[in-house]
Amino acid sequence: MVSDAKTIASELVPILRVYQDGTVERLVGSPFVPPTLEDPSTGVSSKDTTISPPVSARLYLPKLSPPANQQKLPILVYFHGGGFCIESAFSSLYHDSMNSLVSRAKVIVVSVEYRLAPEHPVQAAYEDSWTALQWVASHFLEDTVDKDPWLIGNGDFDRVYVGGDSAGANIAHNLTIRAGTEGLFGGVKILGAFLAHPYFWGSDPIGSESVSAHEENLLHRTWAFVYPAPGGMDHPMINPFARDAPSLSGIGCSRLLVCVAGTDDLRERGIRYAEVVRESGWGGDLELFEVEGEGHCFHILNPGSDSAKNMVNRLASFLK
């Protein structure tokens, strides 16, 4: 428990506080839960693995009918949301969400635990996520040691996907751009990416975004907190429409699903993203999926609703 006597050095209301001794107190977020040998509701199995000293992941495998070793499944590398500063691949929120998606989609999921701001520069989230994606691809190389048996036994490396929600969707976008330039180990290709309510922002409002309240918006304040650099609001990491951002024609996958929610403050950015990708000359297949009357990441925050179930079904149908 953080002492009230400690002096607050900085804070991001209502998400976290940083004290002068460097202690970070997160005011929101769900508790950590262990992996399960077989989830009682879905039959999904999960386990944790260390990818590199700073990077770990939780792997999920759906319940398979025998003979299990003959069933090759799509592989989804997933990046959780939380504004780059809260939540975890090991939290109850994301553990339950992954169990649900894996059960419906019949995919193997590698849910990445990347380092968070402010303890680490925000760039660490991208580097850790890239390390995890390359680790998955490395299983396709013959000389890779210590391969994970789920990926080797049941993974289909012709059907590798990346995806995420909010900040995780931002990471998925940036990694597909990087994969289009650098490539993955073994020549593995990303077949598709889904961006659920992607966290994109910029110094200037677009569409119906409020002009007067733009800088007071929590989305604006969060990026300014995790990346307090001059001009940082238009860095390509957060603003794919910035002047010096790489062309979206270079997205390194052939299928793209962009999901937006009707009452989400990020709706306009998601729609603009889909429009710019279409106009860029990118040659893949893109779908924009909108759910009206719902807010940001509703499918994760309120998984029992009909809208959430429909959303998860849409994601599952994309992962084929």
Side-chain angles (χ1 to χ4, degrees), residues 115 125 160 247 264 273:
R115 286 172 290 176
V160 173
S247 171
D264 185 5
Y273 178 83

Side-chain angles (χ1 to χ4, degrees), residues 222-284:
T222 297
W223 184 255
F225 183 85
V226 301
Y227 190 64
M233 202 58 63
D234 290 314
H235 192 286
M237 288 186 295
I238 190 67
N239 187 356
F241 322 125
R243 182 177 303 174
D244 57 347
S247 171
L248 296 182
S249 64
I251 292 174
C253 64
S254 57
R255 299 178 61 220
L256 186 61
L257 174 64
V258 181
C259 304
V260 298
T263 63
D264 185 5
D265 285 350
L266 290 171
R267 175 183 179 274
E268 294 283 354
R269 302 275 166 172
I271 292 174
R272 174 70 61 86
Y273 178 83
E275 292 172 346
V276 175
V277 171
R278 287 195 176 108
E279 295 167 357
S280 71
W282 178 69

Side-chain angles (χ1 to χ4, degrees), residues 10-54:
S10 62
E11 60 183 337
L12 176 62
V13 180
I15 295 176
L16 56 78
R17 297 190 186 101
V18 181
Y19 294 85
Q20 280 192 335
D21 66 356
T23 302
V24 177
E25 180 187 18
R26 288 180 167 83
L27 307 175
V28 294
S30 54
F32 283 25
V33 294
T36 50
L37 181 61
E38 184 173 309
D39 179 67
S41 299
T42 63
V44 172
S45 298
S46 56
K47 62 181 178 181
D48 295 342
T49 189
T50 299
I51 294 172
S52 71

Side-chain angles (χ1 to χ4, degrees), residues 15-16 26-29 80-88 114 116-117:
I15 295 176
L16 56 78
R26 288 180 167 83
L27 307 175
V28 294
H80 69 81
F84 302 96
C85 58
I86 59 171
E87 280 301 338
S88 166
Y114 53 83
L116 299 178

